[in-house]
Amino acid sequence: MSYELIALLMFSSMMLMLLTGQRVFAAIGSVAVIASLLLWGDGGSEIAFGAAMKLMKWYPLLTLPLFIYMGYMLSESGIAEDLYKMFHVWMGPIHGGLAIGTILLMVAISAMNGLSVAGMAIGASIALPELLRRGYDKIMVTGVIQAGSSLGILVPPSVVLVLYGMIARQPVGQLWLAGLLPGLLMASMFIIYIVVRCKMQPHLGPALSEEERNVPMSEKLKLLRAGILPLAIFFSMTGLFLMGVTSLVESSAVGALAATIAAIVKRRMTKEVMENTLRKTLAISCMFMWIILAALCFGAVFDGLGAVKAIEALFIDRLGLTPWEVLILMQLSYLIMGTFLDDTAMLVIVAPLYVPLVKLLGFDLIWYGVLYTITCQIAYMTPPFGYNLFLMRAMAPPEVSLTDIYRSIVPFVLIMICALVIVMAFPQIALWLPEWHYSR
């Protein structure tokens, strides 16, 4: 049997298992192990063992549970909620102000957690009821929350970029720095859209009433101090890393410790908060470790087959495509897969093929990691099976229908596509910060 046919058989088997509802790591890992045993006999068992050892010895992986712990500690203790109260008071007097504050809240939550689920949960439970109660257009605000929460997989500390770094064998620190400016660019584009839209149609985002604006300055300053605390934790953590005082892993430890101390100081550290934080941290961390292990095993089998060379020959030699045309086709395939798969499944399915091919085509793997992540954000919000669409449907109040949710994402998906094109056309938007930092 040719290696092209073996590769096709592996992919079809894996997709069939995923469609039957199997867990991602089980579908990918089992196909990889069975294929390696059939191809190389008893010696094929060493592939899975080697992948496990590589995972256990990858030091930056320690950042994964520490950053997830920090995010859940800030969320479970209610410190993240203080941020929204601050934005509510300070941004409410302008048209669309609360929607702008919600985007800023999502950026802050992303900078604490690295997962879009946390931003979505906080946005849907805290911001959405407040926005609807104050007369904001339900279609616009559901789009705001979905788009804002998707920033969690791009703005550092992004868990998705940790996963990409492990599979692509790229430094996580460089990937995080590369994602920062594109993430802020996208957040700025969201805010500009909200400002322009509410300027043209003020009824979509009414300003706060006169009574609600009359908050004493002492109360405003009190909320400002409370809201700045989680931001101070993040900036002190990243500041120490950028100044070279701490390593990446040490920075994650600083963030986790600072979040714990903040919860204690604000007298919100209870047994329930600690138990919920540890349970969720353990569940998410273990899930990602199993997925990375399965992806490494699957990638090792593909390396052994030489399937990457075959795909390169197909695109370049037989079809005569340019490297940029191949890259665009890759991004389109992510968008299609994103309609029925989540980001981690997409990455581990095609990374064994795409990452080596991107390197052979002469593109920067750090830059490509940012492109992949932005494409995942778009895929999160595209029907019929966009991940964020169903999260929003599960968390939204009854008056927000599935049709409203689908309509709400149209302008934000277009903005994300524009951001993707900008970062593709100007790679230095992603590469300047890591190059500047590491050249020091």
Side-chain angles (χ1 to χ4, degrees):
M1 187 183 291
S2 66
Y3 57 77
E4 291 96 338
L5 188 56
I6 295 172
L8 183 61
L9 183 61
M10 287 179 66
F11 266 108
S12 58
S13 301
M14 181 173 56
M15 292 302 298
L16 182 62
M17 290 188 68
L18 287 170
L19 289 172
T20 60
Q22 298 296 322
R23 294 184 182 274
V24 172
F25 75 87
I28 297 166
S30 60
V31 170
V33 170
I34 292 170
S36 64
L37 290 173
L38 291 175
L39 286 167
W40 298 294
D42 293 341
S45 61
E46 295 181 7
I47 290 180
F49 178 77
M53 289 300 99
K54 186 184 294 184
L55 178 64
M56 291 299 106
K57 291 189 291 186
W58 195 56
Y59 184 60
L61 193 66
L62 287 171
T63 60
L64 185 67
L66 289 171
F67 277 126
I68 292 172
Y69 170 88
M70 180 185 74
Y72 277 121
M73 177 56 70
L74 292 172
S75 175
E76 293 294 323
S77 62
I79 295 174
E81 188 177 344
D82 294 340
L83 270 174
Y84 186 72
K85 292 178 181 176
M86 180 188 76
F87 290 134
H88 168 75
V89 170
W90 286 89
M91 303 292 294
I94 63 174
H95 285 286
L98 292 184
I100 296 170
T102 300
I103 292 291
L104 296 175
L105 172 70
M106 297 299 172
V107 174
I109 296 300
S110 302
M112 298 171 202
N113 192 283
L115 293 169
S116 68
V117 178
M120 177 68 81
I122 291 173
S125 61
I126 299 172
L128 183 58
E130 289 292 317
L131 290 165
L132 293 176
R133 189 169 65 85
R134 283 170 170 77
Y136 273 67
D137 181 68
K138 63 179 180 178
I139 294 176
M140 187 183 77
V141 297
T142 51
V144 165
I145 291 170
Q146 290 178 87
S149 65
S150 71
L151 295 169
I153 64 172
L154 183 59
V155 176
S158 166
V159 173
V160 173
L161 284 175
V162 173
L163 181 62
Y164 173 85
M166 183 65 197
I167 295 172
R169 299 179 178 89
Q170 296 299 305
V172 175
Q174 290 190 35
L175 286 166
W176 278 352
L177 292 176
L180 182 58
L181 291 182
L184 295 177
L185 169 68
M186 198 177 295
S188 301
M189 293 172 73
F190 291 157
I191 290 173
I192 291 170
Y193 164 75
I194 293 168
V195 170
V196 173
R197 185 83 189 275
C198 291
K199 188 78 172 176
M200 296 170 62
Q201 298 173 289
H203 65 279
L204 296 180
L208 288 182
S209 63
E210 193 66 38
E211 296 79 16
E212 290 179 301
R213 293 186 205 179
N214 293 328
V215 178
M217 183 55 67
S218 59
E219 183 66 23
K220 283 188 174 183
L221 293 175
K222 184 179 178 182
L223 286 171
L224 186 63
R225 287 196 300 271
I228 283 177
L229 177 61
L231 296 179
I233 292 172
F234 171 71
F235 285 115
S236 63
M237 176 185 66
T238 53
L240 291 173
F241 171 63
L242 291 174
M243 290 187 295
V245 177
T246 59
S247 68
L248 188 66
V249 175
E250 290 167 346
S251 294
S252 64
V254 168
L257 180 62
T260 306
I261 293 173
I264 294 172
V265 169
K266 294 183 77 68
R267 297 181 181 178
R268 297 181 184 177
M269 176 61 77
T270 63
K271 181 182 177 182
E272 183 182 4
V273 166
M274 178 58 77
E275 185 176 341
N276 288 340
T277 299
L278 292 176
R279 283 182 182 277
K280 291 179 180 179
T281 300
L282 184 62
I284 297 293
S285 301
C286 290
M287 179 190 72
F288 274 104
M289 288 187 72
W290 275 110
I291 289 172
I292 295 171
L293 176 60
L296 289 172
C297 187
F298 196 88
V301 176
F302 260 85
D303 287 342
L305 283 173
V308 176
K309 290 288 185 182
I311 292 179
E312 182 195 16
L314 172 65
F315 283 133
I316 305 298
D317 299 335
R318 297 181 194 174
L319 299 180
L321 299 178
T322 65
W324 275 100
E325 288 171 336
V326 175
L327 187 74
I328 291 170
L329 284 177
M330 290 178 183
Q331 300 308 102
L332 289 174
S333 70
Y334 275 130
L335 289 175
I336 294 169
M337 285 189 293
T339 60
F340 60 91
L341 292 172
D342 63 26
D343 54 344
T344 51
M346 284 193 291
L347 182 60
V348 296
I349 286 172
V350 296
L353 296 175
Y354 282 8
V355 171
L357 184 58
V358 168
K359 190 174 182 180
L360 286 170
L361 293 174
F363 294 112
D364 190 286
L365 288 178
I366 298 293
W367 170 68
Y368 183 71
V370 175
L371 295 186
Y372 155 75
T373 308
I374 294 174
T375 312
C376 281
Q377 289 178 274
I378 299 170
Y380 260 32
M381 296 171 57
T382 47
F385 301 112
Y387 195 53
N388 276 15
L389 300 175
F390 289 115
L391 284 175
M392 175 55 74
R393 186 68 195 95
M395 299 177 184
E399 64 263 31
V400 179
S401 67
L402 190 59
T403 304
D404 294 331
I405 293 170
Y406 280 0
R407 288 174 59 195
S408 71
I409 53 92
V410 173
F412 294 99
V413 167
L414 294 175
I415 291 170
M416 288 178 171
I417 292 173
C418 289
L420 176 64
V421 172
I422 291 170
V423 176
M424 288 180 73
F426 303 99
Q428 282 304 113
I429 295 175
L431 296 177
W432 174 79
L433 189 58
E435 287 175 357
W436 170 79
H437 175 67
Y438 284 96
S439 67
R440 296 167 61 225

